[in-house]
């Protein structure tokens, strides 16, 4: 459709065109010759109700590299602070005839709600604990560049899986593309019931979970989504679930180490592992721009001109 709200239910055939177009944009970005006219005359508004470094900046760059007019609405200094509701804010932006609305919100389902109220194409840039589809697409692209395919790979998603929209989008994408997914972490953060998400295995033992995997994805502790008293101590977490050298060797030789960011060194990942030759964390960021160019381009082509 004309929105990208999540990856749940999408097939490999629906996901692959985004990855293929993103791959061509990654090449063009490296040669510094992106087509500046794909979004010429279009307006993109970044509407971020939660903090972001990577996602907001890369949507801005992606829009500008394709020739769009890009507006960053800083929610912290907007009239949201004066009590304007999400839907009234959306109606206001709609009246300005924006074509693409990129939304991050603490509430799961907020982008889907907006998509029913505005004429713009809505892109979910992360909603609560629900989905972060462009993150999973950029992760998939990074894996494909190194390992050639997603089919048949074993991917361990480690740490605070339960609170993670990144994990949910990755579970949907990776299982659709034929990867095996392991969810690895303590029972408080990776409830055994998560196995019912389909085609995933739950491990509470880090050593067992990492054995012979092709890819290790690490996630930060999302303290903002934990109730008081449920936050594990950083030191204890690192001791039992941190990805350090000793644990890295349990995975396949040259297994990829990934992190969506922001990372907390010495909590979910050891600093030397984050900076090791197996780490593709900076490449994930680079692919983020290419993936967002592909998403904006494809969605804007699916829009019927007013
Ligand atoms: N990975 C990610 O979404 O990072 P930001 O929160 O910095 O956008």
């Amino acid at each position: 459709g004309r929105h990208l709200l999540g990856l749940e239910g999408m097939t490999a055939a629906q996901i692959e065109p985004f990855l293929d177009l993103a791959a061509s944009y990654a090449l063009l970005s490296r040669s510094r010759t992106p087509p500046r006219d794909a979004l010429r005359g279009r307006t993109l508004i970044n509407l971020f109700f939660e903090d972001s470094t990577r996602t907001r900046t890369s949507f801005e760059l992606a829009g500008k590299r394709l020739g769009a007019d890009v507006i960053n609405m800083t929610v912290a200094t907007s009239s949201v602070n004066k009590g304007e509701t999400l839907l009234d804010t959306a109606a206001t932006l709609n009246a300005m005839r924006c074509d693409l609305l990129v939304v991050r919100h603490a509430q799961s389902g907020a982008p889907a709600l907006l998509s029913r109220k505005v004429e713009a194409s809505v892109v979910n840039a992360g909603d609560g604990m629900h989905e972060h589809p462009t993150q999973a697409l950029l992760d998939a692209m990074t894996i494909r560049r190194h390992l050639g395919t997603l089919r048949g790979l074993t991917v361990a998603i480690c740490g605070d899986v339960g609170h993670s929209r990144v994990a949910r989008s990755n579970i949907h994408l990776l299982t659709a593309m034929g990867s095996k997914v392991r969810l690895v972490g303590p029972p408080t953060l990776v409830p055994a019931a998560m196995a019912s998400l389909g085609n995933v295995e739950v491990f509470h033992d880090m050593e067992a979970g990492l054995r012979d995997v092709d890819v290790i994805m690490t996630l930060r502790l999302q303290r903002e989504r934990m109730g008081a008293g449920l936050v594990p101590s950083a030191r204890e977490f690192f001791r039992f679930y941190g990805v350090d050298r000793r644990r890295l060797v349990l995975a396949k030789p040259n297994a990829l180490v990934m992190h969506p960011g922001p990372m907390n060194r010495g909590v979910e990942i050891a600093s030397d592992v984050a900076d090791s030759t197996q780490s593709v964390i900076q490449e994930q960021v680079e692919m983020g721009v290419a993936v967002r160019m592909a998403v904006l381009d494809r969605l804007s082509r699916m829009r019927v001109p007013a």
Side-chain angles (χ1 to χ4, degrees):
R2 67 188 173 98
H3 307 293
L4 180 63
L5 303 172
L7 300 177
E8 185 172 10
M10 275 177 79
T11 62
Q14 290 170 314
I15 293 166
E16 265 156 12
F18 285 104
L19 301 179
D20 294 339
L21 183 60
S24 67
Y25 275 134
L27 283 174
L28 289 170
S29 292
R30 281 208 171 164
S31 66
R32 297 189 184 278
T33 54
R36 294 211 170 260
D37 54 355
L39 294 182
R40 190 163 304 284
R42 305 291 177 108
T43 302
L44 182 160
I45 299 184
N46 269 326
L47 181 60
F48 277 57
F49 291 86
E50 272 192 343
D51 296 342
S52 171
T53 297
R54 281 147 287 269
T55 311
R56 208 212 62 180
T57 312
S58 58
F59 267 113
E60 180 175 0
L61 273 175
K64 286 182 171 163
R65 285 185 186 167
L66 294 175
D69 296 317
V70 181
I71 309 291
N72 289 313
M73 242 197 77
T74 315
V75 173
T77 57
S78 75
S79 287
V80 169
N81 282 338
K82 302 174 197 165
E84 191 161 55
T85 66
L86 177 63
L87 290 180
D88 284 333
T89 302
T92 303
L93 300 179
N94 195 48
M96 295 183 198
R97 299 207 166 272
C98 105
D99 301 288
L100 293 147
L101 190 58
V102 178
V103 184
R104 170 169 288 191
H105 200 282
Q107 208 73 47
S108 298
L113 178 68
L114 287 185
S115 74
R116 295 193 286 272
K117 304 286 177 187
V118 297
E119 286 148 80
S121 287
V122 175
V123 186
N124 180 0
D127 62 331
M129 301 193 286
H130 176 229
E131 284 226 37
H132 190 353
T134 56
Q135 178 69 45
L137 288 169
L138 75 89
D139 290 340
M141 224 190 128
T142 309
I143 296 170
R144 266 201 351 185
R145 282 163 67 95
H146 286 268
L147 304 178
T149 178
L150 296 160
R151 187 156 298 281
L153 299 181
T154 304
V155 179
I157 306 179
C158 303
D160 185 1
V161 178
H163 295 108
S164 174
R165 56 199 179 201
V166 173
R168 275 184 189 73
S169 285
N170 264 301
I171 290 166
H172 297 312
L173 182 149
L174 291 167
T175 55
M177 300 296 283
S179 306
K180 292 191 209 64
V181 177
R182 296 181 183 178
L183 309 179
V184 191
T188 45
L189 301 177
V190 188
M194 286 199 85
S196 67
L197 282 170
N199 251 336
V200 300
E201 270 188 287
V202 170
F203 289 77
H204 298 310
D205 179 76
M206 190 69 170
E207 280 71 22
L210 292 184
R211 204 168 299 279
D212 296 325
V213 300
D214 298 282
V215 178
I216 303 174
M217 287 187 181
T218 48
L219 299 168
R220 82 186 161 88
L221 294 172
Q222 291 141 86
R223 298 168 195 279
E224 72 275 25
R225 292 191 250 280
M226 294 177 193
L230 292 174
V231 183
S233 92
R235 192 188 302 202
E236 283 257 293
F237 188 83
F238 185 68
R239 188 164 149 226
F240 290 104
Y241 292 100
V243 177
D244 58 11
R245 284 270 172 204
R246 199 169 45 90
R247 293 192 172 118
L248 180 58
V249 297
L250 299 170
K252 283 200 183 142
N254 302 321
L256 301 181
V257 174
M258 306 180 73
H259 197 305
M263 65 182 157
N264 293 127
R265 291 170 182 261
V267 183
E268 70 275 11
I269 187 167
S271 202
D272 61 340
V273 170
D275 298 330
S276 72
T277 53
Q278 284 171 256
S279 164
V280 292
I281 294 170
Q282 295 310 322
E283 189 175 331
Q284 287 173 267
V285 177
E286 182 185 349
M287 292 309 116
V289 180
V291 154
R292 285 155 187 143
M293 289 170 80
V295 166
L296 297 175
D297 185 355
R298 277 181 65 79
L299 294 186
S300 72
R301 280 192 237 169
M302 286 172 195
R303 276 168 53 75
V304 187

